[in-house]
Amino acid sequence: MKEILKVSDVNYSYNGKKALDNIGFNIESGNFIGIIGPNGAGKSTLLKVLSSALKPDKGTVLLNGIPLSNMKSRDIASCIAFVPEETIVNFCFTCREIVLMGRTPYINRFSWEKDEDYMIAEEAMKMTDTIEFKSRDINGLSSGEKQRVIIARALAQKPDVLLLDEPTSHLDINHQKEIFDLLMKLNRDSNLTIVTVMHDINLASIYCESLLLLDSGRVFMEGKPSELITEENIKSIYGTEVRISRDVKTGIPGITIIPENK
Ligand code: ADP
Ligand code: MG
């Protein structure tokens, strides 16, 4: 399979403090990869580097063989869409206006949206089950509803790679499942490459094809959930005793926290 993203020796520091330390890995086109690791491991920083929102101090990110640093932001945005952890919208925008913003990389500076842009935006809203909100102010929605609209905006970009930072951390179990089922469907049916930071290791284990485990700005391990989610790895990275069991039907590993005083 073709490598869509190739990350080599990436370093990034905030005011001299290293957040990413010689990160290297490849992502194949069509993969569904989860990035896991403790708070402060560098997951969000890595995703921002992949989206080109942050420029690495050292190292390169190649998108289809071309360094991101040599590409125009419009060309990057027609290939990579980013769903941040939290999106703050300061003005009154309807959800349809927000989703249409996803078409920006395709619209000429001096022209307006075309019928095709409206159709693609509508399709993205149908996929994310947000069409009923189209005339509502985005700030009037619940955080879960808002997140689905932001995902619709990313899909309207018609990307090849979708980057998501803990996309379901504010959602209930039903909406978590809905979002990940949708991502899995897009991954399978449209060969959309998914790179998502995951907070919940069990969800990561269920949905991701492969995982990248970060610790202190470094890649601790990469592999399939079945290889990587072990009692030893969780203890070593998170410092927590857990029990791993395997689903009787799928063999997917799941973790159970062991309380101190029970
Ligand atoms: P994660 O998403 O894994 O929790 P982050 O990438 O947000 O980790 O953060 C990695 C490290 O960089 C942490 O030590 C964090 O405190 C630091 N950091 C993140 N964002 C900033 C920022 N804007 N300014 C300074 N330090 C930051
Ligand atoms: Mg984060």
Side-chain angles (χ1 to χ4, degrees):
M1 248 200 226
K2 188 171 87 110
E3 275 160 10
I4 195 158
L5 281 168
K6 191 171 171 63
V7 179
S8 317
D9 301 326
V10 161
N11 284 258
Y12 188 86
S13 298
Y14 295 100
N15 310 315
K17 190 173 166 283
K18 232 174 208 184
L20 300 178
D21 189 1
N22 272 329
I23 297 267
F25 63 99
N26 299 327
I27 299 175
E28 287 178 350
S29 172
N31 202 339
F32 192 135
I33 176 166
I35 303 175
I36 60 171
N39 294 336
K43 305 179 296 297
S44 297
T45 306
L46 176 59
L47 222 54
K48 286 177 191 157
V49 167
L50 296 181
S51 74
S52 87
L54 294 179
K55 310 266 172 277
D57 304 329
K58 194 177 144 253
T60 51
V61 178
L62 302 182
L63 172 62
N64 289 317
I66 303 169
L68 283 185
S69 53
N70 291 357
M71 292 178 71
K72 292 196 184 109
S73 49
R74 176 182 284 261
D75 294 333
I76 297 173
S78 61
C79 194
I80 299 181
F82 180 36
V83 176
E85 204 174 348
E86 201 177 358
T87 308
I88 295 160
V89 181
N90 287 323
F91 297 98
C92 265
F93 281 113
T94 66
C95 293
R96 187 164 77 162
E97 286 167 334
I98 293 284
V99 177
L100 270 171
M101 287 174 194
R103 299 302 300 157
T104 310
Y106 300 96
I107 298 169
N108 263 326
R109 194 148 30 127
F110 300 108
S111 59
W112 298 97
E113 295 94 355
K114 299 190 174 67
D115 287 349
E116 188 195 5
D117 300 307
Y118 282 97
M119 267 168 51
I120 290 171
E122 184 122 344
E123 193 189 322
M125 295 184 90
K126 280 187 188 146
M127 278 195 273
T128 50
D129 201 15
T130 53
I131 200 91
E132 63 181 295
F133 311 136
K134 69 178 175 186
S135 304
R136 280 178 58 187
D137 176 0
I138 184 146
N139 291 314
L141 301 183
S142 77
S143 49
E145 292 163 347
K146 187 173 165 190
Q147 184 66 312
R148 276 155 49 212
V149 174
I150 301 300
I151 293 174
R153 178 177 68 181
L155 295 179
Q157 259 173 265
K158 289 268 170 198
D160 298 324
V161 182
L162 184 58
L163 307 174
L164 306 107
D165 196 351
E166 300 190 11
T168 61
S169 51
H170 301 292
L171 306 192
D172 61 42
I173 190 166
N174 176 44
H175 284 110
Q176 286 185 346
K177 180 179 178 303
E178 266 181 28
I179 295 280
F180 279 104
D181 283 347
L182 170 68
L183 295 178
M184 198 176 218
K185 186 171 173 359
L186 291 164
N187 173 254
R188 295 211 171 142
D189 297 353
S190 322
N191 203 41
L192 178 66
T193 305
I194 310 268
V195 184
T196 177
V197 171
M198 301 287 291
H199 183 65
D200 183 323
I201 301 173
N202 283 330
L203 267 183
S205 173
I206 293 166
Y207 285 98
C208 298
E209 201 179 328
S210 54
L211 295 175
L212 187 76
L213 180 47
L214 288 192
D215 185 33
S216 309
R218 299 199 191 96
V219 176
F220 177 82
M221 205 175 166
E222 46 177 319
K224 292 197 176 77
S226 57
E227 299 157 357
L228 190 137
I229 300 191
T230 63
E231 289 168 7
E232 297 74 32
N233 285 343
I234 302 294
K235 170 86 181 151
S236 140
I237 298 295
Y238 293 86
T240 311
E241 299 277 358
V242 295
R243 205 163 30 243
I244 307 279
S245 48
R246 297 198 178 257
D247 183 79
V248 281
K249 278 203 177 144
T250 60
I252 291 171
I255 66 168
T256 309
I257 291 170
I258 305 169
E260 269 308 297
N261 307 309
K262 205 169 180 188

